[in-house]
Amino acid sequence: MGVKKLPYIPFTEEQKVIANSVDLADFLRLRGEKLERAGREYKLIYSDGSGSHDSITIRGSTWFDHKNQVGGGAIKFMQYHYGMDFPTAVQELLGQRVTPLSHTPPKSVVNEEKPKNFKLPEANENMHRVFAYLIKQRFIAPDIISFFAKNHTIYEDKEHHNAVFVGLDENGISRQAHKRGTATFGKSFRQTVEGSDTKYSFSHFGESGKLFIFEAPIDMLSYLTLHPENWQKHSYIAMNGVYENAVLTALKGHSNLTEIVICTDNDIGGIDAADRLHDILKEKGYADVNRLLPEFKDWNEILKSQNGVTPLPAVPHKIKEEYHRQAENLQYLKCRPDKLKSQIYAAFKNNQYRYLAEYALAGSAFFLPKTQRLSDENKAFLRLQSKLRDDYRAYSDKGKTTQKQRNLSDSVQAVMCDLKQTARTREQSINTAKLLFQLADNAVRMSVEEAMNVPVQEQNEDFEVVNEPCMEFG
């Protein structure tokens, strides 16, 4: 017998867009999955043969697996996490079929028989190569290396002479280890030891209430070399990437830590990680959270520059910078409530995103209750303009242009329906102001896409504001 072919299911482009824009948190919660709030995102909590996991974060219709460094939209999530084919994924998201959901391990781990027990690599009889690498190639202070070596959290493995950085649990037991190659030629080798518990990482805990957070052990050692004064009284942790699991475990186990300094790299990944971690920590009640940026790409590049080696420069976050620039350049236009609907609709249809943002933000200032407007609408506009800039998070702005167009279309639709109200209570006015603020944000995001030379689709029937019965707000 031949292989049975799945029937071809024709989906319209609009159906694909709708399926891919489904709010994953709501969808998964309704299907019985467990989600936990993490700043402005949600973490999906699921279990498989290797234990419980929380590396997948979700915001709206987008997701990202921090462990396997992969992400995308709603359709890709159904394919990746549940092993569905494309037609089934679309049907599920559109509500055309409902099947029991069960996690399918990512392709990279499908063939693993069972999880490996954690075991530290065998130690070499000396640390000559590791000392030479860290001192001569990375310019780390010898006394800093010696401190961690004496505590058995840095050593040299016997087989390949890698530097091994060890993460201990609350009882001083090794739970995690990260290997870093010491060869001075070829591509650098980095690997987390199999069976490592991501709740722990290379760290030092002092008596003060200050915790410094780094992406990698060498970043942490470099910072200590640059700032050696009484360093042992403070606490430091290396995340081995940009995932916050070890940080949250450390904070839970050390109640004295109240002042947090995020020291991730000065590049796109590090900037996004800092913003995301800042939001998560604020959500968990940590009020004193600050950001410390290295002058160059990371802290070790500063040491290189001080020792005659050309450092790698910082990498600007162009999307975040462009959003800030666009938000700051918005001009106040006095709101004319009787003209607002036609102004918004015309700007939307003609892809005039800046005008759309200005009309929406001015409208938001107008509808704010007088107690929140300050003395006049212009000042309220400036305050909302600052909020627009400060609230923007590039880490949650990873969708494709078509998704951002859909978000803008939905936002326009919501505002147009809301503006049909002729009389408003105070609560309804606040809701109108919020909807207009969201519209301004979506308009600026599309303006950024245009400025970054991302092809923007002409508004057509797929993105037209339709005359359907309006949703009720307020």
Side-chain angles (χ1 to χ4, degrees):
M1 293 177 64
V3 178
K4 183 179 180 180
K5 293 184 178 180
L6 292 172
Y8 171 71
I9 304 174
F11 295 109
T12 66
E13 288 303 313
E14 184 176 11
Q15 285 178 311
K16 294 175 186 177
V17 170
I18 292 172
N20 212 36
S21 62
V22 166
D23 188 295
L24 280 172
D26 290 343
F27 176 85
L28 294 173
R29 194 180 291 110
L30 288 171
R31 300 299 296 275
E33 295 285 16
K34 182 180 178 182
L35 298 167
E36 287 184 1
R37 188 84 183 188
R40 301 186 179 194
E41 302 174 316
Y42 290 93
K43 288 195 292 188
L44 174 64
I45 313 299
Y46 68 94
S47 299
D48 60 16
S50 62
S52 180
H53 306 278
D54 63 353
S55 64
I56 296 177
T57 56
I58 292 168
R59 182 180 172 90
S61 62
T62 60
W63 61 280
F64 192 77
D65 186 340
H66 297 267
K67 180 180 179 181
N68 295 302
Q69 293 293 295
V70 62
I75 295 174
K76 186 176 179 180
F77 175 82
M78 302 298 283
Q79 294 175 294
Y80 172 82
H81 192 67
Y82 296 117
M84 294 180 179
D85 56 44
F86 181 85
T88 303
V90 174
Q91 284 183 304
E92 287 284 343
L93 293 165
L94 293 176
Q96 296 177 355
R97 62 181 295 171
V98 179
T99 56
L101 299 182
S102 59
H103 167 62
T104 298
K107 293 180 180 178
S108 59
V109 298
V110 164
N111 294 325
E112 290 186 7
E113 295 180 1
K114 59 181 179 179
K116 299 286 184 71
N117 292 325
F118 175 70
K119 183 180 179 181
L120 285 173
E122 185 179 355
N124 195 38
E125 58 187 14
N126 60 61
M127 287 182 58
H128 294 167
R129 291 199 193 182
V130 167
F131 265 100
Y133 170 73
L134 293 177
I135 295 171
K136 295 180 181 179
Q137 300 297 319
R138 294 295 187 163
F139 309 106
I140 308 296
D143 61 315
I144 299 291
I145 305 170
S146 296
F147 174 87
F148 289 97
K150 289 176 181 177
N151 284 283
H152 308 292
T153 51
I154 295 180
Y155 70 94
E156 182 176 316
D157 80 353
K158 183 175 182 179
E159 185 176 5
H160 299 291
H161 302 282
N162 296 308
V164 182
F165 302 94
V166 183
L168 308 177
D169 67 10
E170 299 84 355
N171 300 312
I173 299 172
S174 302
R175 298 294 186 189
Q176 184 268 359
H178 182 76
K179 295 187 289 187
R180 178 73 190 232
T182 55
T184 57
F185 55 87
K187 188 176 181 180
S188 60
F189 170 77
R190 286 177 288 185
Q191 184 182 72
T192 298
V193 174
E194 286 185 307
S196 289
D197 188 338
T198 60
K199 295 195 299 293
Y200 304 97
S201 188
F202 180 68
S203 56
H204 165 76
F205 296 102
E207 296 179 355
S208 84
K210 183 178 286 190
L211 172 67
F212 295 83
I213 302 171
F214 302 87
E215 285 189 35
I218 288 178
D219 294 324
M220 176 176 148
L221 297 175
S222 299
Y223 182 85
L224 298 181
T225 300
L226 290 164
H227 303 277
E229 306 85 9
N230 299 316
W231 71 265
Q232 294 180 34
K233 71 178 183 179
H234 303 306
S235 297
Y236 311 82
I237 190 167
M239 295 186 290
N240 285 326
V242 295
Y243 186 47
E244 76 282 354
N245 210 3
V247 174
L248 298 180
T249 301
L251 289 170
K252 187 176 180 180
H254 298 81
S255 58
N256 63 305
L257 297 175
T258 57
E259 182 182 353
I260 302 168
V261 184
I262 303 173
C263 307
T264 50
D265 293 357
N266 194 356
D267 60 11
I268 295 172
I271 293 168
D272 280 349
D275 284 344
R276 182 173 175 275
L277 187 55
H278 181 275
D279 289 342
I280 291 172
L281 293 171
K282 287 285 187 180
E283 180 80 16
K284 291 188 175 295
Y286 292 93
D288 193 354
V289 181
N290 299 290
R291 170 78 161 122
L292 198 57
L293 274 170
E295 177 185 359
F296 301 108
K297 178 184 175 295
D298 59 45
W299 299 99
N300 192 245
E301 297 302 324
I302 298 176
L303 284 181
K304 288 180 180 178
S305 71
Q306 294 178 354
N307 287 274
V309 177
T310 302
L312 293 174
V315 180
H317 199 311
K318 293 182 179 179
I319 292 176
K320 182 177 180 179
E321 291 179 0
E322 181 60 25
Y323 184 99
H324 285 178
R325 187 188 72 80
Q326 297 263 3
E328 289 164 358
N329 288 339
L330 295 178
Q331 300 295 314
Y332 172 66
L333 301 172
K334 185 172 179 59
C335 179
R336 299 174 60 186
D338 57 324
K339 299 287 186 182
L340 188 55
K341 282 177 63 179
S342 59
Q343 289 171 332
I344 286 174
Y345 187 75
F348 171 71
K349 289 297 293 181
N350 293 312
N351 293 338
Q352 296 174 315
Y353 303 119
R354 175 173 173 172
Y355 285 129
L356 181 55
E358 289 173 343
Y359 290 137
L361 208 61
S364 183
F366 175 84
F367 283 103
L368 278 175
K370 290 183 179 179
T371 54
Q372 296 185 29
R373 264 195 231 171
L374 302 180
S375 59
D376 58 46
E377 291 170 32
N378 196 346
K379 289 185 178 179
F381 178 92
L382 294 175
R383 185 164 61 112
L384 291 173
Q385 187 178 20
S386 295
K387 178 177 172 59
L388 202 65
R389 181 189 186 279
D390 295 342
D391 283 2
Y392 176 71
R393 293 294 184 267
Y395 72 77
S396 65
D397 190 19
K398 305 293 187 183
K400 294 182 179 179
T401 303
T402 51
Q403 179 60 52
K404 295 179 184 181
Q405 284 179 305
R406 171 60 63 181
N407 292 342
L408 179 62
S409 176
D410 291 345
S411 192
V412 170
Q413 174 71 34
V415 165
M416 297 293 276
C417 288
D418 184 83
L419 290 178
K420 288 182 178 181
Q421 298 179 84
T422 56
R424 287 177 174 78
T425 64
R426 184 178 185 277
E427 290 72 21
Q428 288 173 328
S429 292
I430 292 173
N431 189 69
T432 301
K434 287 180 179 179
L435 290 174
L436 285 161
F437 182 83
Q438 291 167 1
L439 175 56
D441 173 52
N442 283 317
V444 174
R445 291 181 189 229
M446 283 303 301
S447 188
V448 170
E449 293 286 295
E450 192 173 56
M452 301 296 288
N453 295 316
V454 178
V456 176
Q457 180 175 331
E458 290 291 329
Q459 298 299 347
N460 54 35
E461 62 274 10
D462 286 338
F463 293 96
E464 189 172 351
V465 179
V466 294
N467 294 317
E468 294 179 349
C470 297
M471 295 173 61
E472 293 184 5
F473 297 99

